[in-house]
Amino acid sequence: MADHEASKINHDNHLLLDQPCLRLPYELLRKNFRAAHLPFEKDSTSVKNLLKDTANGSLNGKASPQDVVKNLDQMLVKMRGLKRKLTAAAEEEDRLYRQMDARVAHLRELASLNTVDDVKYESWSRQRLDRLLVDYMLRHGYNASATALADERGMRDLVDIDTFVVLSKIRAALQSGSVQEALAWCGENKKELRRMPSNLEFMLRCQQYIEMMRTGSQSKMLEAINHAKKYITPFNDTYPVEVSNMAGLLAYRPDTALEPYASLYSASRWRRLADIFVEAHLNLLSLPTSPLLHIALSSGLSALKTPACHSRQSQADANDQLFSGSPEETTPRRKPATPSTPASPHPHPHHHHGTASLTTRVCPICSTELNALARNVRYAHHGKSRLLEHDLMLLPNGRVYGKARLDEYAAKSGLPADRVKDLTTGEVYSSDQLRKVFVT
């Protein structure tokens, strides 16, 4: 029963990780609708008013035939422009609906699976891993590699390449010292950024002001003052400290060592602006700020991690693997830590007096590759212990086993009835030395 429960797929937990997969097309559909709705309302109202004025002028005799023809040409030009905009919006909508259908089908396939032992689950989980890898590469700017992997696996509709390509271009522009692309993006999403709220546009305007002040020319300083009056001073109630610092910048040159003005002139502000933009962009689309691969890896490490994974014995095992030389080497590169066995009632395979190979074979967290990575990961929350043996007994060496298994192993080893034997180390103890373990 315990094995069956452990292999059963928890569909709700899977969907927690795959929420952005479904959410992003929906958010982009909303954005596409807003982008098409505004020009439609504006152009259609303009055409209606012009048609009404032309008809009234023609009936009243105030408009000549040439004026009527000219107005009709203007209306045709506006309608053709509106048609092009609506056609582009319709094509984008079709692409997003295609993405949604593909992603729903992908998650529906998971809903038809019940256990991880199903052969179909392996292929499905492999495809999900490919999605997480593409997401990771896109977030770090490896757009070409991400696109190649998505095309090779045939899952372009399951990943968000176009969205992250736009993000990468604007981030790269900020890192190279240009705010124009980011300001244009802020203009397209002004209402949404105001609701979040986000200080991205304010920070970009401050950076424009700083770059004007950096030149030191009189004309640029006057331009900077006018820029501050228009774009920075209105935020005095919201960001009083920042506005005050911008005003104080008038009295300091770029080579000043006085804070906070030295930091304002620092080139590291461009990296900070890029980070602020990425955070605002992801929050606007309801995407997590961390790569999905990190979230999945953290949850996996947390599920496997135990307090014994970072005990002194475990660390000594990791050091043995990491710093011990090859068989041809006569001197180790670093002296390994002295093994010690903590007295812990936790049933963990680390507490042995053998080599490090047994530890790292049994527990992935104790391996050299994952031990340091899992150090700051939280322990998993377990509502109940499914694989805990009945009637646990604590041996003097700190290892814990079920009493039935100890008795069975002692009988097979030919020991007297009052003796037990450690299943891992082979140490023999008297039954009087055992202590009963209670788990709450």
Side-chain angles (χ1 to χ4, degrees), residues 129-144:
L129 177 59
D130 290 335
R131 286 198 298 107
L132 300 184
L133 290 174
V134 170
D135 174 82
Y136 180 85
M137 289 188 287
L138 289 172
R139 288 171 180 265
H140 289 79
Y142 304 111
N143 298 330

Side-chain angles (χ1 to χ4, degrees), residues 67-285:
D67 294 335
V68 173
V69 173
K70 182 179 179 180
N71 291 342
L72 289 174
D73 289 340
Q74 291 180 3
M75 285 186 281
L76 288 174
V77 169
K78 290 185 177 182
M79 293 303 294
R80 290 192 184 102
L82 180 59
K83 181 181 178 181
R84 286 193 298 270
K85 295 176 184 177
L86 293 178
T87 300
E91 292 174 354
E92 176 67 8
E93 186 174 293
D94 291 339
R95 184 185 71 84
L96 293 173
Y97 276 125
R98 186 174 65 250
Q99 280 191 354
M100 291 187 69
D101 291 341
R103 298 178 186 201
V104 169
H106 174 64
L107 296 179
R108 187 185 297 120
E109 184 180 352
L110 173 66
S112 64
L113 306 176
N114 295 318
T115 66
V116 296
D117 299 326
D118 195 320
V119 293
K120 294 182 179 180
Y121 179 77
E122 182 178 355
S123 61
W124 187 91
S125 59
R126 169 59 63 178
Q127 188 175 43
R128 183 177 68 171
L129 177 59
D130 290 335
R131 286 198 298 107
L132 300 184
L133 290 174
V134 170
D135 174 82
Y136 180 85
M137 289 188 287
L138 289 172
R139 288 171 180 265
H140 289 79
Y142 304 111
N143 298 330
S145 299
T147 303
L149 177 59
D151 290 339
E152 180 183 346
R153 297 292 191 264
M155 56 178 192
R156 284 292 290 264
D157 289 334
L158 298 180
V159 292
D160 311 301
I161 294 178
D162 295 338
T163 299
F164 282 99
V165 166
V166 173
L167 183 149
S168 297
K169 289 180 179 178
I170 301 177
R171 177 176 56 192
L174 285 172
Q175 291 173 343
S176 62
S178 173
V179 300
Q180 299 304 322
E181 296 81 358
L183 284 174
W185 183 84
C186 289
E188 295 173 0
N189 303 277
K190 182 174 293 186
K191 292 183 179 179
E192 291 75 18
L193 291 173
R194 197 174 297 163
R195 292 194 197 103
M196 286 173 55
S198 172
N199 66 341
L200 174 61
E201 185 175 1
F202 172 76
M203 296 294 289
L204 294 173
R205 296 298 185 184
C206 288
Q207 192 63 36
Q208 282 184 309
Y209 172 83
I210 293 170
E211 296 306 313
M212 294 176 192
M213 295 297 301
R214 194 190 301 275
T215 62
S217 66
Q218 190 69 23
S219 60
K220 281 293 184 180
M221 292 182 68
L222 292 175
E223 185 179 347
I225 293 173
N226 293 329
H227 175 87
K229 290 179 179 178
K230 183 177 181 181
Y231 295 111
I232 298 178
T233 306
F235 289 93
N236 188 46
D237 294 336
T238 309
Y239 308 108
V241 176
E242 290 81 357
V243 173
S244 177
N245 290 339
M246 291 297 115
L249 207 64
L250 290 168
Y252 295 93
R253 301 277 70 83
D255 57 353
T256 181
L258 185 66
E259 293 293 347
Y261 308 107
S263 298
L264 293 176
Y265 279 120
S266 173
S268 62
R269 278 183 60 87
W270 289 107
R271 292 193 298 271
R272 183 185 174 196
L273 284 175
D275 293 339
I276 293 175
F277 164 73
V278 170
E279 183 179 358
H281 190 281
L282 295 176
N283 288 338
L284 185 68
L285 297 176

Side-chain angles (χ1 to χ4, degrees), residues 306-316 340 342 350-351 371:
T306 69
C309 288
H310 293 93
S311 65
R312 287 177 294 175
Q313 171 68 33
S314 174
Q315 193 61 43
S340 60
H350 306 153
H351 305 290
N371 189 264

Side-chain angles (χ1 to χ4, degrees), residues 330-361:
T330 57
T331 304
R333 286 170 286 175
R334 179 177 172 181
K335 184 179 179 181
T338 302
S340 60
T341 304
S344 169
H346 197 285
H348 198 276
H350 306 153
H351 305 290
H352 60 87
H353 301 281
T355 63
S357 59
L358 177 60
T359 298
T360 53
R361 272 204 311 269

Side-chain angles (χ1 to χ4, degrees), residues 13-32:
N13 288 343
H14 277 73
L15 290 178
L16 288 176
L17 183 63
D18 292 316
Q19 278 186 13
C21 183
L22 288 176
R23 183 179 297 164
L24 184 59
Y26 173 73
E27 296 292 339
L28 293 177
L29 278 171
R30 292 176 56 191
K31 181 180 178 181
N32 184 65

